[in-house]
Amino acid sequence: MWLAALVCLLCQSAGISAGEGGDGEDLSVTTTVDYSNVTGTTESVGQPYFDNSTKRDYTAAVGQPAYLHCRVKNLADRAVSWIRKRDLHILTVGVHTYSSDARFAALHTDGSDEWTLRVAPAQPRDSGSYECQVSTEPKISLSFRLTVVVSKAEILSGPELFVRAGSDINLTCIARHAPDPPSFIYWYRGSNVVNYAQRGGISVETEQRTRTSRLLIARASPRDSGNYTCAPSSSDSASVMVHVVSGERPAAMQSDAAKTNKPLRPSVLISLGMIASKASSLAILLQGFFINLIYGNGNPWNNYCLRRFEPR
C-alpha cells in the first residue's frame, strides 16, 4: 500500500511540474522587462554628443538680445559651459553665470537638451567666436560665431524732399542690416505717430520679409509739411524733411539753380583783369632780366632797370 502511495505521490509531483511549466510564460515576460531596463541603463551612461544640425552662425543687431543655442544629447550628469574664445573666459557653467558682465546669462529648461547663451543687449565688441563645452573626459566642445551689426533705417528719398501741393508724398523706408524682420515699423510726423484718422488719403504698407515700409499721403497740402521719421522695432530710425510748396517749381529749388548759374559780377571781372595785367608785366620784367644777364655787362639788374626806366 505504501508502494501505491509512493506512485501517487510521484504522479502528483509530475503534475505540479507541468503546471509550473505552464507559468513559464510569465517568467519569460519578466525577463524581457528586465532586459529593457538594462538597455535603458546602458543608454543613460553613454557619452554625451552634440546635435550638429543646430545653427552655429548668428547675427544680432546692436542694442538687441543675441542668443546662441547649443543642443547636447545624452548629457546625464555632465555640465555645459559657455566659453568666449578670444580670451578663454568662462561665461557660464550650467545655469550659473561666471562673468562680471551682467549681460551674459545661461538659459535652460529642465528636461530640455538645449543650453542657450544670452547676450543682452548685444554690443559690437561681442562679435567673435564662442564655445559650448561639455565636462566629459576628455572635454568635447562646439564652436559658434556671433556677428553684431548696426541696423539702421534708410529713407530712399534722402534727407530732404520737395513736393508740389496736390501731389502725393511717397516715402519708402528700409531697415538695413536687420538680422530679423522687424515686428513693426512706425511712422512719425514730428514727435507724433502719423494719424490715419486725422485726414483721409494716408496709407502704410509694410513688408516684413523685405524689411520695407511705404508711407503714402495723397493730395498733399502745405499743412502736410514737416519732419517724417521711420522707426523699425529693431533698427535705428531715419528722418526726412518734407516741404509741400505751391507753384511750378519750389522756391528753394529755384534758388539753388540760380546760385549755380549766376554770372560773375563786374567787380569780379575787373579784379581778374588787374591780376592778369600784373602777371603779364612781371613776365616781361623777368624776360628782360635774363636777356640782360646773358648778353649785358656789369650788373644785369641795374643795366636792365636803367634801360627799362630811362627817360625817353
Side-chain angles (χ1 to χ4, degrees), residues 249-267:
R249 298 181 63 189
M253 296 176 65
Q254 291 179 354
S255 177
D256 291 339
K259 291 178 181 178
T260 303
N261 301 319
K262 184 182 296 183
L264 294 175
R265 295 192 302 271
S267 59

Side-chain angles (χ1 to χ4, degrees), residues 29-138:
V29 170
T30 303
T31 302
T32 303
V33 172
D34 291 340
Y35 179 79
S36 64
N37 289 337
V38 171
T39 303
T41 303
T42 303
E43 291 179 354
S44 66
V45 297
Q47 289 297 311
Y49 61 94
F50 293 106
D51 181 355
N52 289 323
S53 64
T54 57
K55 181 180 177 181
R56 295 171 59 188
D57 197 345
Y58 292 87
T59 302
V62 170
Q64 299 298 314
Y67 298 93
L68 306 182
H69 304 281
C70 178
R71 291 178 182 169
V72 184
K73 301 290 187 180
N74 209 24
L75 182 62
D77 60 349
R78 273 76 167 190
V80 176
S81 304
W82 279 101
I83 315 294
R84 185 169 55 201
K85 294 189 69 174
R86 73 165 182 262
D87 54 6
L88 300 180
H89 181 63
I90 299 175
L91 300 173
T92 65
V93 177
V95 293
H96 302 288
T97 302
Y98 284 81
S99 172
S100 59
D101 192 340
R103 296 179 305 116
F104 292 96
L107 306 179
H108 175 69
T109 303
D110 290 341
S112 169
D113 58 6
E114 185 167 287
W115 299 80
T116 301
L117 176 66
R118 182 185 67 189
V119 189
Q123 300 297 329
R125 67 177 184 273
D126 298 321
S127 296
S129 297
Y130 294 82
E131 196 171 83
C132 177
Q133 191 178 94
V134 180
S135 61
T136 55
E137 189 58 45

Side-chain angles (χ1 to χ4, degrees), residues 200-221:
I202 299 179
S203 62
V204 172
E205 295 181 0
T206 300
E207 297 178 4
Q208 289 188 333
R209 183 180 59 84
T210 59
R211 300 161 172 79
T212 302
S213 181
R214 295 179 179 86
L215 171 65
L216 176 65
I217 302 177
R219 301 177 303 278
S221 69

Side-chain angles (χ1 to χ4, degrees), residues 168-226:
D168 296 342
I169 299 175
N170 195 338
L171 302 177
T172 300
C173 174
I174 301 177
R176 300 287 189 189
H177 308 297
D180 297 306
S183 55
F184 60 83
I185 298 179
Y186 287 152
W187 283 94
Y188 293 85
R189 181 173 175 265
S191 59
N192 301 317
V193 176
V194 172
N195 190 344
Y196 304 96
Q198 186 176 6
R199 58 169 295 234
I202 299 179
S203 62
V204 172
E205 295 181 0
T206 300
E207 297 178 4
Q208 289 188 333
R209 183 180 59 84
T210 59
R211 300 161 172 79
T212 302
S213 181
R214 295 179 179 86
L215 171 65
L216 176 65
I217 302 177
R219 301 177 303 278
S221 69
R223 291 180 300 175
D224 296 314
S225 298

